[in-house]
Amino acid sequence: MALAAAGRVLLQAGSRLGRREVVDGARRFANKRVEVEADEAAGIAVMKLKNPPVNSLSLEFLTEFLISLEKLENNKNFRGVILTSERPGVFSAGLDLMEMYGRNPAHYAEYWRAVQELWLRLYLSNMILVCAINGTSPAGGCLMALTCDHRIMADNPKYTIGLNESQLGIVAPFWFKDNFVNTVGYRTAEHALQLGLLFPPAEALKLGIVDEVVPEDQVHSKAQSVMAQWMAIPDHSRQLTKNMMRKAMADNLIKQREADIQNFVSFISRDSIQKSLHTYLEKLKQKKG
Ligand SMILES: CCCCCC/C=C/CC(=O)SCCNC(=O)CCNC(=O)[C@H](O)C(C)(C)COP(=O)(O)OP(=O)(O)OC[C@H]1O[C@@H](n2cnc3c(N)ncnc32)[C@H](O)[C@@H]1OP(=O)(O)O
């Protein structure tokens, strides 16, 4: 119910957003931060994250992304979505640090609700989600990929993926942790989460964070062929199986959603945490100079 109500709000906002055009038989919805190439005849859409410079998951990005996803979910002709970055090199830098630094509690609460919504919508999506990870994908970027049914990563040792929150002086919340544990197993998750490890493609493959590593120029063709394989499975049996595997974990967040928001707000508002974020942001700046 809560998801449906949030969806209606998003759709109302969505009707004021976006530009449409038809390119090579595929409809393109181009919002500012998300580009959707929607091939209705094939039943597949490609969603490209387009929030320069590093596809951070800002509140505006999350809103546009959720609106685009909702449009696809509401059209029964769409059965599969390929998630990728419009900027090869960075899939997503994760949550937008500027949404968690120097803001007020009401803003933190609004932001966290949107982050929860992103995870719930992707994790519980009835559509087939294939992630074409064509760049680095730390923290929230990794979480987005973890919600997908199949993950393909570009074979470039410069790219890394993982949950590095610990390195920022923050803590991955229980539902990030649960999603990660269910993907890589308890011991690997315990080790990687405490150290905030980021893994290059070959290691990510060994641990099961990604399902395949392919040459960079083949990520998209591979995503299309994997999608074709998944599309051959009857929707009803695949969807019921997905729901059976995922419902308990999603319900765990749904029933604690408000408490999780309060916990985030009080954690992120602490002086010590704000100081850690400040130090990390400074490090990112210095890396440039
Ligand atoms: C119960 C409480 C629970 C709290 C849990 C909170 C959970 C948080 C999960 C997260 O997702 S936290 C975010 C973690 N992300 C990162 O650590 C990534 C940081 N970024 C990078 O490592 C690099 O930027 C990159 C992604 C490897 C890309 O490198 P590149 O050299 O291409 O770009 P930069 O020059 O570093 O960055 C350009 C520009 O973008 C800013 N920026 C980078 N990442 C973020 C971000 N996540 N949010 C906001 N802004 C970001 C960076 O500061 C530069 O800005 P400038 O103004 O141009 O200097």
Side-chain angles (χ1 to χ4, degrees):
M1 274 304 271
L3 284 182
R8 275 194 301 278
V9 172
L10 287 170
L11 275 179
Q12 283 157 12
S15 62
R16 298 191 299 272
L17 281 169
R19 173 169 59 76
R20 290 162 184 234
E21 55 185 303
V22 177
V23 181
D24 297 333
R27 261 193 310 157
R28 184 175 291 174
F29 307 89
N31 290 334
K32 208 169 155 202
R33 295 169 183 84
V34 184
E35 194 170 297
V36 183
E37 287 164 13
D39 186 340
E40 196 162 348
I44 299 171
V46 179
M47 292 183 82
K48 292 187 181 169
L49 319 188
K50 199 181 71 172
N51 194 22
V54 289
N55 283 338
S56 62
L57 308 179
S58 64
L59 187 55
E60 282 178 327
F61 169 85
L62 293 176
T63 306
E64 288 189 17
F65 184 89
L66 287 165
I67 289 163
S68 300
L69 186 69
E70 182 78 10
K71 276 184 187 164
L72 297 170
E73 293 274 6
N74 284 346
N75 182 337
K76 294 296 163 227
N77 293 324
F78 286 106
R79 299 175 54 217
V81 172
I82 295 172
L83 280 187
T84 195
S85 165
E86 203 250 353
R87 175 202 155 176
V90 180
F91 175 74
S92 165
L95 302 197
D96 194 309
L97 295 164
M98 302 316 292
E99 302 284 6
M100 301 189 283
Y101 176 71
R103 307 290 195 114
N104 61 42
H107 182 84
Y108 295 142
E110 185 186 7
Y111 182 58
W112 201 245
R113 191 179 296 282
V115 176
Q116 292 175 331
E117 191 70 20
L118 174 80
W119 183 75
L120 287 168
R121 292 258 167 198
L122 286 173
Y123 194 67
L124 292 176
S125 175
N126 267 332
M127 295 187 291
I128 302 156
L129 302 184
V130 172
C131 198
I133 308 163
N134 53 347
T136 276
S137 197
C142 173
L143 183 78
M144 255 182 119
L146 290 178
T147 62
C148 293
D149 300 298
H150 194 94
R151 290 174 285 284
I152 300 153
M153 190 167 184
D155 190 8
N156 184 332
K158 284 191 192 146
Y159 301 164
T160 57
I161 186 165
L163 296 179
N164 64 329
E165 284 79 353
S166 207
Q167 289 201 34
L168 281 70
I170 55 179
V171 181
F174 73 88
W175 39 286
F176 284 44
K177 179 266 292 173
D178 288 346
N179 201 160
F180 196 52
V181 167
N182 284 356
T183 309
V184 299
Y186 203 91
R187 175 59 191 143
T188 298
E190 186 184 29
H191 190 250
L193 285 172
Q194 286 191 60
L195 292 172
L197 296 181
L198 292 170
F199 301 96
E203 279 183 57
L205 178 65
K206 264 194 219 145
L207 297 176
I209 298 173
V210 299
D211 301 296
E212 291 183 73
V213 171
V214 301
E216 197 148 13
D217 61 351
Q218 289 170 31
V219 172
H220 293 290
S221 55
K222 187 69 192 181
Q224 292 284 356
S225 65
V226 165
M227 183 60 83
Q229 192 190 345
W230 282 71
M231 298 272 283
I233 305 296
D235 269 341
H236 69 278
S237 51
R238 184 193 54 74
Q239 286 168 352
L240 286 168
T241 308
K242 183 170 179 175
N243 194 265
M244 174 178 71
M245 298 298 294
R246 295 187 171 204
K247 189 173 180 305
M249 209 170 89
D251 281 350
N252 201 24
L253 172 59
I254 291 168
K255 75 169 190 275
Q256 303 180 58
R257 208 167 165 175
E258 297 307 318
D260 183 58
I261 292 171
Q262 288 318 311
N263 187 41
F264 172 76
V265 172
S266 71
F267 179 85
I268 215 73
S269 304
R270 284 188 210 163
D271 285 347
S272 60
I273 301 303
Q274 287 291 303
K275 218 167 146 192
S276 294
L277 289 177
H278 177 77
T279 307
Y280 190 73
L281 283 162
E282 286 302 307
K283 255 197 230 161
L284 280 178
K285 279 199 171 48
Q286 278 162 19
K287 190 187 78 176
K288 277 181 154 177

